[in-house]
Amino acid sequence: MSKESKDKQFVTEITPQGEDFSRWYIDVIKKADLMDYSPVRGCIVFKPDGYEIWEHIQEELDRRFKETGHRNAYFPLFIPESFFQKEKEHVEGFNPELPWVTEAAGEKLEERLAIRPTSETMFGHMYSKWIQSYRDLPVKINQWANVVRWEKRTLPFLRTSEFLWQEGHTAHETEAEAREETMQMLDIYQDFVENYLAIPVIKGQKTPSEKFAGAVDTFSIEAMMKDGRAVQAGTSHYMGTNFAEAFEIQYLNRENTLEYAHTTSWGVSTRLIGSLIMVHGDDRGLVLPPKVAPTQVIMIPIGPPKTRDAVVGRTDELYRELKAAGIRVRVDDNPDVRPGWKFNEYEMRGVPVRLEIGPRDMENGVCVLVSRITGEKKVVEQANLVQEVQAMLEQVHQEMYNRAKQFREDHFYSVDTLDEMKASMEEKRGFTLAGWCGSEACEDTVKQETGATSRNIPFEPGETKTKCLVCGDDAKHTVLFARAY
Amino acid sequence: MSKESKDKQFVTEITPQGEDFSRWYIDVIKKADLMDYSPVRGCIVFKPDGYEIWEHIQEELDRRFKETGHRNAYFPLFIPESFFQKEKEHVEGFNPELPWVTEAAGEKLEERLAIRPTSETMFGHMYSKWIQSYRDLPVKINQWANVVRWEKRTLPFLRTSEFLWQEGHTAHETEAEAREETMQMLDIYQDFVENYLAIPVIKGQKTPSEKFAGAVDTFSIEAMMKDGRAVQAGTSHYMGTNFAEAFEIQYLNRENTLEYAHTTSWGVSTRLIGSLIMVHGDDRGLVLPPKVAPTQVIMIPIGPPKTRDAVVGRTDELYRELKAAGIRVRVDDNPDVRPGWKFNEYEMRGVPVRLEIGPRDMENGVCVLVSRITGEKKVVEQANLVQEVQAMLEQVHQEMYNRAKQFREDHFYSVDTLDEMKASMEEKRGFTLAGWCGSEACEDTVKQETGATSRNIPFEPGETKTKCLVCGDDAKHTVLFARAY
């Protein structure tokens, strides 16, 4: 409680979103104690409330990965320099961001070791040893790990030099099976992000210039932040036989001839934490999706000193009931802090549901639940508390999703020309559909002139554009453009 | 199944323990598919069956850490060189093992960054920012992470350049409270290792020469491998104010004066995997403790082709029952492999319980459970299968613990002189108690002459030695000596 009592004003210190969204973001994550800057450039400390969000993300995704036949493993942090040379696009894509270990235990290394920015090469090397026959396939392994990309501009959670993620790497007999895996994982990401983090996303395929370095096809889910910018919330790649050829992942097929395996990879990272903050937060602070909130319910006993012991006693009983039902609940019964101050504090921290209980509530066998997202107050019977709390948590989730979806619809545009795109990006901000001829030059022009990049080619764009917004030629694709984090 | 069918002989390829224990160990972990060597010096790949043991260790320890008021967080992988200079013993202890990042993104770094070998310095730096007042204490944070120590001689799981671990770091107002935390965590480790991994351990305090670099006192739990060598299975350190002084972790105490916090740290690592293999394995292969075994029960339907479908159908029903009860169960119904071969295979892989079911069992509503550790066969009613399996898993655990304890008692010695210690180490092998005067010179003589190091000063040595085994002076402590991994 000490940090809070030092500064009872800090809720009002959060910069309003409308004034400066980036400052709002930094204010909120610092004040809500999710992270701190570290002494190492671009690396943050994930503090307990920030890290716990990641733990809940991990639990649920891990469950879904295992349910679909994947197993976890752990591969080395270090990747020999020569590995990066084996896949041409891969080295070009990642080389500019690699940190290098050149000395160890007082001696210069013969070969420099990169800190992994991703592990396709290491998995490729090992898979080539493990896979001999079609009977060894598929191999479906996931890894939870830290990775490092020495980024020039960093932003806590969204782009840090070191971050946490999972990377799935699979190898298959056929293209069809590998593509099915690629899509299955993209679907799992979409379902998870929408139904667990309450973030609606747009599924689609990356354009060649935006795909993963070394992939044949990259697919993504794209989410809209409250400043209209996009975050790529998850990606799934079909690698074809590129890495199999580079690392000689060959197997004897059913006809007893050697073939290259088809591989995939897919990942989400701690940038999901940044995303859910930017999608749901408001001027009062965080709004955390109930399914990943470290504290789902904060219980605040209220009333004068003379009834205090009785109220706190009853609060503790109800606390145990909620906890036994698997609800993540905390009690703040600090007598030195006014309830009103606590209300602000836990709103700022994004706790989905507040439970108030006072002496009159005690007499009536009720208490009051307050929704963080709508502010709605509901008097509920203590006898039904578990169900009432679960119902309100579910309502909060649903309302968060609906609002995020409405916000995205309100900031979703469609343009025909580059000038319209410029106006769209500068005045309205948001996601903007446009036709594209397929040439990298036109895509690059959009980027240079408007700051927007192609996010993906949506599977369900809603409408079909017929002309390229830059050159006016026939459009090959209807593309989603946005400025992005 | 492909790997198995390639080589039906490999059970007999395991080197017997009595012939060459180190070769037995490598044979077993390779054949049971727990790990593979990586192309990076001293780094292994934790394959799914090896990694899953770690996942079960994590789940249970994490639960116990949280139950005792700790929370997880994540701190940076990189540690600036200057941090290591701040605590003199710490830098001397770890400097020889550090790998250094000297370049990143094409540029030479101004300050070299070490890959963390442990994170006292980074936690110290951050705690100094977070802790201002006694109201901020205690801070009790744990981290699950990879760490790197560039070891000269490596051994899979037991000593690898990169390994996985947890490191708890806490800060407290008083020495008493910090010491209580240090002991609490040591007790948690002991309880976990004994009751979860079925490994009896000896608790005690490290001698000054063996304590953690920078600690005031280090405590350990020591386990005996089947070759009589010791593994330090977990450590807990009371740091005093050493790191608080080095990193200025100061707080205003209840009398409003500045004081240094008292800190602790404690950790266990993936060397637990190596330990449980060396404690429990036998000439037939792995023997996995039921509570961490990736597969707890392997179900093998048997009988002629004509009854096959019926037996496999019933097996699947029973499989679903066991799975629903939370038991980690697998079915091997591969018709191309003989049951006898499967029996050997899963014994080699250390699966605690085998379930056999044939056509006659079907008729009688029974099946057969076989214990990996005793070989005992038990005919059980299918109607009680869940309870019967749970009971046998518990029996296997208990029997494993009892045997490990008996083995340790059979290899536990006590000596009065250096010559006796030499004989004890060369002929008998095992743990050997001896008196020690407290001088580093005598301790070092034991090491030079016998290869044994002081493991710890047991809290309950069983007997009290009165003379130093080297110099014959009065003994200050009764010390546990052993050759160690």
Side-chain angles (χ1 to χ4, degrees), chain A residues 5 33 96 124 153 158 177 200 252 269 306 314 334 343 359 430 462 466:
Chain A
S5 50
D33 241 3
R153 285 169 43 239
L158 281 171
E177 200 186 297
L252 275 177
S269 75
K306 63 177 177 179
R314 183 63 187 139
N334 183 348
F343 297 171
T466 54

Side-chain angles (χ1 to χ4, degrees), chain B residues 60-288:
Chain B
E60 177 63 14
L61 277 178
D62 199 66
R63 195 185 66 69
R64 293 178 186 218
F65 296 160
K66 285 174 176 161
E67 203 175 69
T68 46
H70 303 88
R71 297 190 71 191
N72 290 329
Y74 187 77
F75 287 65
L77 172 71
F78 301 114
I79 299 186
E81 181 164 18
S82 55
F83 278 36
F84 279 96
Q85 311 301 333
K86 294 194 182 187
E87 215 292 333
K88 189 174 159 292
E89 286 185 15
H90 196 66
V91 64
E92 286 171 5
F94 285 104
N95 233 358
E97 297 177 351
L98 298 177
W100 294 99
V101 174
T102 58
E103 306 163 18
E107 289 179 14
K108 203 166 179 317
L109 299 180
E110 285 184 25
E111 180 178 14
R112 298 196 300 175
L113 298 172
I115 311 292
R116 66 178 160 224
T118 180
S119 302
E120 276 73 12
T121 58
M122 186 59 77
F123 276 77
H125 177 85
M126 299 310 298
Y127 280 8
S128 75
K129 293 175 67 179
W130 299 343
I131 295 167
Q132 314 294 334
S133 150
Y134 72 91
R135 290 192 196 84
D136 300 324
L137 295 172
V139 176
K140 294 163 69 174
I141 293 180
N142 176 61
Q143 162 168 286
W144 293 97
N146 53 344
V147 283
V148 177
R149 298 176 187 177
W150 215 251
E151 303 274 3
K152 285 208 178 65
R153 286 168 43 236
T154 60
L155 188 61
F157 298 122
L158 281 171
R159 192 184 301 105
T160 49
S161 293
E162 182 188 10
F163 57 97
L164 303 175
W165 81 345
Q166 59 70 216
E167 47 181 324
H169 296 273
T170 68
H172 306 265
E173 280 185 77
T174 62
E175 171 168 354
E177 200 185 299
R179 284 192 177 275
E180 194 181 325
E181 167 83 8
T182 308
M183 286 304 150
Q184 180 190 42
M185 301 323 289
L186 190 70
D187 288 347
I188 285 178
Y189 289 153
Q190 176 192 20
D191 191 74
F192 170 77
V193 171
E194 297 195 334
N195 293 316
Y196 228 73
L197 308 183
I199 302 176
V201 293
I202 293 173
K203 262 197 306 199
Q205 178 168 0
K206 288 282 183 186
T207 62
S209 69
E210 294 284 334
K211 72 181 167 63
F212 180 82
V216 169
D217 290 323
T218 288
F219 304 89
S220 73
I221 50 172
E222 303 284 335
M224 184 189 290
M225 307 298 104
K226 270 199 177 161
D227 62 351
R229 287 189 183 235
V231 167
Q232 173 181 294
T235 50
S236 188
H237 317 287
Y238 168 61
M239 302 299 191
T241 57
N242 291 351
F243 283 90
E245 288 175 42
F247 288 92
E248 293 175 7
I249 311 175
Q250 283 181 298
Y251 69 96
L252 276 176
N253 68 13
R254 287 160 205 262
E255 286 74 43
N256 219 34
T257 56
L258 268 182
E259 262 191 63
Y260 288 113
H262 294 258
T263 68
T264 82
S265 79
W266 29 274
V268 300
S269 75
T270 36
R271 67 185 342 221
L272 285 177
I273 301 172
S275 307
L276 66 88
I277 295 164
M278 285 195 177
V279 168
H280 298 301
D282 62 25
D283 284 346
R284 285 178 295 148
L286 291 178
V287 182
L288 293 178

Side-chain angles (χ1 to χ4, degrees), chain A residues 2-3 36 46 49 52 55 66 71-72 74 77 98 100 102-103 105 112 130 135-136 146 162, chain B residues 2-3 36 46 49 52 55 66 71-72 74 77 98 100 102-103 105 112 130 135-136 162:
Chain A
S2 63
K3 301 252 166 174
D36 199 355
F46 293 75
D49 275 344
E52 191 175 332
E55 290 183 285
K66 286 174 178 162
R71 296 190 71 190
N72 290 329
Y74 187 78
L77 171 71
L98 298 178
W100 293 100
T102 59
E103 305 162 20
R112 297 195 301 176
W130 299 343
R135 291 193 197 84
D136 300 323
N146 54 343
E162 181 188 9
Chain B
S2 63
K3 302 253 166 170
D36 199 355
F46 293 75
D49 275 342
E52 190 174 333
E55 289 183 289
K66 285 174 176 161
R71 297 190 71 191
N72 290 329
Y74 187 77
L77 172 71
L98 298 177
W100 294 99
T102 58
E103 306 163 18
R112 298 196 300 175
W130 299 343
R135 290 192 196 84
D136 300 324
E162 182 188 10

Side-chain angles (χ1 to χ4, degrees), chain B residues 311-328:
Chain B
V311 173
V312 168
R314 183 64 187 140
T315 303
D316 284 344
E317 288 168 14
L318 296 172
Y319 166 82
R320 281 194 293 274
E321 268 183 45
L322 292 174
K323 202 172 157 68
I327 294 163
R328 296 189 292 273

